[in-house]
Amino acid sequence: MLKGKKILLGVTGSIAAYKAAFLVRLLIKAGADVQVIMTEAAKGFITPLTLATLSRHPVLTSFTNSETGSWNNHVELGLWADAIIIAPATAKTISGFATGYSDDLLTAVYLSARCPVFIAPAMDLDMYRHPSTKNNIDTLAGYGNIFINPGFGELASGLIGDGRLAEPEVILTTLEKHFSVKSTALGKRVLITAGPTVEPLDPVRFISNRSSGKMGYALARAFAYAGAQVTLISGPVDLTIADINLHIIQVETAEQMLTAVQHYFEGSDLIIFAAAVADYTPRYVASQKIKKSMPEMELELKKTADIAGTMGKIKKDHQLVIGFALETENEKENAADKLARKNFDYIVLNSLNDSGAGFAHDTNKISVIDKKLNIQEFSLKSKKEVADDILEIILKKWSES
């Protein structure tokens, strides 16, 4: 899976840096082209000569080469790589990535990268457990970076716990799995809706809901990283995402979302309706701000278009459609009914009765129901992990067809 892949390995200042030599050997044996970037601190634990010999490329440690006067172009390096691995990743480097504080070549390359980034932390137990480290890791995971969890065992301090750099074989397997998944999704066209819609009352007020868009954006990131060409139609959210395989269309109202979906639907292999579309919109929209002049105000509403139901009627046999159902009672019965009515292939059920699920959370707990009413239930996970679970279901379906 790694033959011919361009892998950039970032090595930072941890006692575990010696494991980078073993990782480079494994990557080379797997057929990868490996370029190593070291921080200054890393040079105190393993020499650049060792990693240069094993990788068959000069190791880069700074923006310029003082001997030749040449410039190590961080933008070109970031665009060159098919994947970046940071192993070991110290608390300092993770903090720099999370905040965008670019004081070395490695961080500048990371900020320029458009490929998947795998981060393998290595630090002492208390550093790993510290809230600032956890916040930085959560931030980077939210950006779509892939964390390879540290191992449990004796640490350099003598403490026992999490913080050991994952073994090189584990890192290699994680990378191979990523590229094996990517081959299945490569060339597939995926359409995803995300976030709320806003239905205006007047120039300053609107009707909406509590959807944050996090689930839809996590799905867009997962499928884009897997190699699919993703079109994300997004309502107003406070989220950002960037990927070479991703095209984002911003909309506000249910009507605008319907128009955008209709434009891209026919050319899509997979459609995921993750947006929380408003069920009703004001019948009349005031052209000027409504004044607070009356003790009461009646608001007349009309139904919005049923986007998922409308598109379900014209779905072709080769297309897969996934819908979402957020329920508060009779969850599975209501989800199964919606699955049939809207001609979905799968429906993702989450319940507001489950702590940590639903709108605004960074986590979700789902059940996935297919047309034959088979149910796969998943535990509470981060929305990134939930997106990966849904991705795996679709990749399996594609591989069988």
Side-chain angles (χ1 to χ4, degrees), residues 356-373:
F359 291 154
H361 297 288
D362 293 322
T363 55
N364 206 355
K365 182 180 179 182
I366 67 166
S367 299
V368 179
I369 307 173
D370 66 17
K371 276 192 167 183
K372 296 181 180 179
L373 301 185

Side-chain angles (χ1 to χ4, degrees), residues 143-196:
Y143 293 159
N145 297 280
I146 303 161
F147 275 84
I148 304 174
N149 292 331
F152 181 92
E154 185 175 358
L155 305 172
S157 65
L159 295 174
I160 305 294
D162 293 324
R164 291 170 60 93
L165 177 66
E167 293 302 319
E169 293 80 5
V170 173
I171 298 173
L172 180 73
T173 300
T174 302
L175 200 61
E176 287 178 330
K177 181 180 178 182
H178 167 79
F179 283 110
S180 67
V181 166
K182 184 170 183 176
S183 63
T184 308
L186 194 63
K188 295 291 187 180
R189 293 163 297 180
V190 178
L191 175 63
I192 300 173
T193 66

Side-chain angles (χ1 to χ4, degrees), residues 17 41 55 79-80 83 86 94 156 173 181 192 203 217 220-221 247 249 257 297 315-317 343 357 369 382 388:
S55 68
L79 297 178
W80 171 83
I86 313 299
I94 289 172
T173 300
V181 166
I192 300 173
Y217 273 65
R221 183 181 290 112
H247 175 50
I249 298 169
M257 184 169 283
M297 182 181 76
K315 181 176 81 75
K316 300 294 192 296
D317 290 341
N343 197 22
I369 307 173
S382 71
D388 289 338

Side-chain angles (χ1 to χ4, degrees), residues 52-298:
T53 302
L54 294 172
S55 68
R56 303 167 193 167
H57 289 295
V59 170
L60 307 179
T61 59
S62 63
F63 288 98
T64 58
N65 186 319
S66 59
E67 295 181 359
T68 64
S70 60
W71 175 42
N72 297 320
N73 189 324
H74 61 280
V75 175
E76 289 184 359
L77 286 165
L79 297 178
W80 171 83
D82 293 311
I84 295 176
I85 310 169
I86 313 299
T90 60
K92 178 180 182 296
T93 297
I94 289 172
S95 175
F97 286 179
T99 60
Y101 181 66
S102 178
D103 63 344
D104 58 20
L105 177 62
L106 180 59
T107 308
V109 170
Y110 164 78
L111 293 173
S112 302
R114 295 186 182 177
C115 62
V117 178
F118 297 79
I119 301 175
M123 63 194 75
D124 214 81
L125 177 63
D126 294 328
M127 296 176 70
Y128 183 64
R129 287 181 174 176
H130 196 278
S132 62
T133 303
K134 290 296 186 184
N135 287 339
N136 288 333
I137 289 174
D138 289 344
T139 296
L140 291 175
Y143 293 159
N145 297 280
I146 303 161
F147 275 84
I148 304 174
N149 292 331
F152 181 92
E154 185 175 358
L155 305 172
S157 65
L159 295 174
I160 305 294
D162 293 324
R164 291 170 60 93
L165 177 66
E167 293 302 319
E169 293 80 5
V170 173
I171 298 173
L172 180 73
T173 300
T174 302
L175 200 61
E176 287 178 330
K177 181 180 178 182
H178 167 79
F179 283 110
S180 67
V181 166
K182 184 170 183 176
S183 63
T184 308
L186 194 63
K188 295 291 187 180
R189 293 163 297 180
V190 178
L191 175 63
I192 300 173
T193 66
T197 63
V198 296
E199 310 300 323
L201 293 167
D202 63 19
V204 297
R205 300 181 180 91
F206 56 82
I207 299 172
S208 189
N209 57 60
R210 298 181 186 275
S211 174
S212 66
K214 291 178 180 178
M215 191 68 254
Y217 273 65
L219 285 162
R221 183 181 290 112
F223 278 91
Y225 277 7
Q229 296 296 318
V230 179
T231 298
L232 176 63
I233 301 175
S234 174
V237 296
D238 187 23
L239 297 171
T240 58
I241 183 174
D243 190 281
I244 196 170
N245 292 332
L246 178 64
H247 175 50
I248 301 179
I249 298 169
Q250 302 284 353
V251 299
E252 291 193 347
T253 66
E255 184 178 359
Q256 291 170 353
M257 184 169 283
L258 173 62
T259 299
V261 168
Q262 287 173 325
H263 181 76
Y264 290 96
F265 185 87
E266 184 177 355
S268 300
D269 300 297
L270 170 68
I271 302 92
I272 305 178
F273 291 112
V277 182
D279 294 321
Y280 292 90
T281 188
R283 184 173 296 278
Y284 306 105
V285 179
S287 59
Q288 302 296 327
K289 179 182 175 182
I290 300 171
K291 297 296 184 181
K292 189 179 178 181
S293 57
M294 301 293 290
E296 295 181 358
M297 182 181 76
E298 291 186 359

